[in-house]
Amino acid sequence: MKRVVGVVVGAVLLATAAGAPREAAAQELDQLVWGACDASDKVTHVESTADTPRSRAGGPTGLVVECASLKVPLDYADPDRTISLALNRVRGRSSRGHLGALLVNPGGPGASGLDLAKRVAVQLPAELTGRFDVIGFDPRGVGNSEPALRCVDPAEYYAPPRPDNVPATTRQEAVLLGRARQYAQACQSRWSWMLPHLSTENNARDMDEIRKALGEERISYLGYSYGTYLGAVYATLFPERVRRMVLDSVVDPKGVWYRSNLAQDLAFNRRHRDFLRWTARHNDVYRLGGTARLVSFAWYAMRDRLRTRPAGGVVGPSELDDVYTLGGYSDLVWPQLAKAFSAYVKRGDTALLVAAYRRYAQNDAKDENEYAVYLGVQCRDVAWPGEWSRWRSDMTRMHAKAPFLTWSNAWYNAPCVYWPERGGTPVTLRDSAKLPPIMLVQSERDAATPYQGALSMRAVFARSRLLTVAGGNHGATFNDNQCVDRKLAAYLRDGTLFGPATRAAQRPDARCAGSPEPLAAAR
């Protein structure tokens, strides 16, 4: 799966009243040493100056973030050798009844969970404010965990403009294959000792080590995108340790990982066409054509022109792909993307395209770390086709149907062809009577995790319930949708789920309206 764009969350006022009885119990059980955090969410030995987001009312939230590190086994079959995970915590201080620990994961694999913990803590509905200890963590190899994987110099590897993702000749294809091989070999040369131990199963086992260190009998969990698959693996391995589980933007467990990417190609192409249709409906603003066909023609003409004349010497067709892939995750950026598109086509103005690339798609060391872990987990989780001829055949066929993302997605994952650690056997997901019902949340036109995935996950966990949300934004909870968040609050509070389970395999158990489409940006 492509790298996940961060979930959009807001801020609400945190309660500050401390629950004294639980404080004493926590001090007894907690094996973690919590301290103040520095600007990068590492432990420091100075007084905390943790950021204090603004509430919707405009005042400071009083958010206090603590940090810790936890040693976990590199190899659970040989636990003497350890690595460290970076954790943070926003401690629940409400006197209205503590609800335990809520672990959060934003997806990836490879994404840091530290910022998400802070965002979730301030976005919890009022009735839940301060009632959870919200726990974020950097999975093994990520961010502030030690060691953090880095395989290449990002300034060199990502230097724009990169070769076009869509190869027109066998020589161009060979260049792109060479980049994939180079990346895999660079990771092998630096991390051969760690690559065998990067997997979703080990990430799930790490989560249970976090639970133990927190002194919690059971934990609640909120996972987005890849985080839904991680949660499902945790629920399979440790069903008796789950208090509540919310899986938002659900991975298809039957598709990991090669087939999931093919499904993404179709879904991103559909969502890109949604963007083109939206742009056509606002032709009075963008002047790119009054039909999706005309706007599509302008789009691919722009992409072709950027092959030989990159915008600002920076944005070639591959950089353009990266920028506009963001529109598949959230329609909130459509006005800015359409404005840059129009400025280039109608006036030859490249400034907005370059600015969009700098803001949304330029890769740095953090991105390269995420990419290294992404490949480390997905290439190791399960066997990928080992012959490039299979990939070429599949991508050629898929590109004819879904040209927007197919080749870009293929090259993103192509290092798996050369990965030094061959794919293993993924955990077989299974239900358990020890599990509580799981809440599944899914946007109907989600591009990164297509709708079928949520249906497949519900079929695995028979007592789960599926809430669908109109539209295609990736990440529906904590996204200013009162219908969704009311149902989320009821479930997190006491396990209440919506309505009776449906018997229709293709239908959800409940629906919420989506957010209205964005307004066109002024020219």
Side-chain angles (χ1 to χ4, degrees), residues 371-436:
Y371 184 48
V373 177
Y374 167 93
L375 291 170
V377 171
Q378 293 213 346
C379 299
R380 182 74 177 109
D381 264 357
V382 64
W384 291 65
E387 297 295 328
W388 178 249
S389 58
R390 163 79 182 279
W391 291 61
R392 181 193 297 117
S393 175
D394 287 345
M395 300 314 148
T396 300
R397 184 182 70 256
M398 186 62 73
H399 179 75
K401 296 186 289 186
F404 174 68
L405 189 73
T406 294
W407 278 108
S408 173
N409 211 7
W411 296 119
Y412 195 84
N413 293 280
C416 288
V417 177
Y418 305 103
W419 207 248
E421 290 299 322
R422 308 317 298 170
T425 302
V427 173
T428 300
L429 300 186
R430 61 182 182 275
D431 204 355
S432 169
K434 298 177 182 178
L435 268 175

Side-chain angles (χ1 to χ4, degrees), residues 84-167:
S84 294
L85 305 182
L87 281 66
N88 68 356
R89 172 174 72 175
V90 181
R91 193 156 192 181
R93 297 184 181 276
S94 172
S95 60
R96 290 177 294 166
H98 198 80
L99 296 174
L102 174 64
L103 270 67
V104 297
N105 180 276
S112 166
L114 302 181
D115 283 344
L116 181 61
K118 292 180 279 187
R119 292 170 180 172
V120 167
V122 297
Q123 189 71 2
L124 282 169
E127 64 192 280
L128 296 177
T129 297
R131 297 182 66 185
F132 283 102
D133 290 347
V134 183
I135 309 295
F137 64 101
D138 281 353
R140 54 176 58 201
V142 175
N144 289 333
S145 292
E146 296 179 351
L149 268 65
R150 291 181 173 85
C151 296
V152 299
D153 178 355
E156 179 181 335
Y157 188 76
Y158 295 118
R162 306 191 313 274
D164 187 355
N165 287 324
V166 182

Side-chain angles (χ1 to χ4, degrees), residues 164-165 299 303 316-325 404 408:
D164 187 355
N165 287 324
W299 164 265
R303 193 183 186 286
S318 293
E319 288 71 29
L320 186 78
D321 294 343
D322 291 349
V323 171
Y324 282 81
T325 295
F404 174 68
S408 173

Side-chain angles (χ1 to χ4, degrees), residues 100-234:
L102 174 64
L103 270 67
V104 297
N105 180 276
S112 166
L114 302 181
D115 283 344
L116 181 61
K118 292 180 279 187
R119 292 170 180 172
V120 167
V122 297
Q123 189 71 2
L124 282 169
E127 64 192 280
L128 296 177
T129 297
R131 297 182 66 185
F132 283 102
D133 290 347
V134 183
I135 309 295
F137 64 101
D138 281 353
R140 54 176 58 201
V142 175
N144 289 333
S145 292
E146 296 179 351
L149 268 65
R150 291 181 173 85
C151 296
V152 299
D153 178 355
E156 179 181 335
Y157 188 76
Y158 295 118
R162 306 191 313 274
D164 187 355
N165 287 324
V166 182
T169 66
T170 54
R171 178 174 295 182
Q172 291 175 8
E173 181 182 300
V175 169
L176 292 161
L177 270 177
R179 285 173 58 84
R181 185 186 298 108
Q182 171 198 353
Y183 197 88
Q185 291 173 345
C187 290
Q188 180 183 20
S189 68
R190 290 163 174 79
W191 301 106
S192 59
W193 62 273
M194 190 170 181
L195 294 183
H197 309 294
L198 291 175
S199 68
T200 299
E201 179 176 349
N202 278 342
N203 285 338
R205 295 190 182 280
D206 291 346
M207 282 174 52
D208 205 55
E209 294 300 303
I210 295 172
R211 178 197 62 78
K212 293 175 188 176
L214 291 170
E216 298 281 356
E217 287 292 323
R218 295 185 295 162
I219 56 172
S220 296
Y221 176 79
L222 169 63
Y224 295 90
S225 198
Y226 165 78
T228 67
Y229 182 65
L230 174 58
V233 171
Y234 183 84

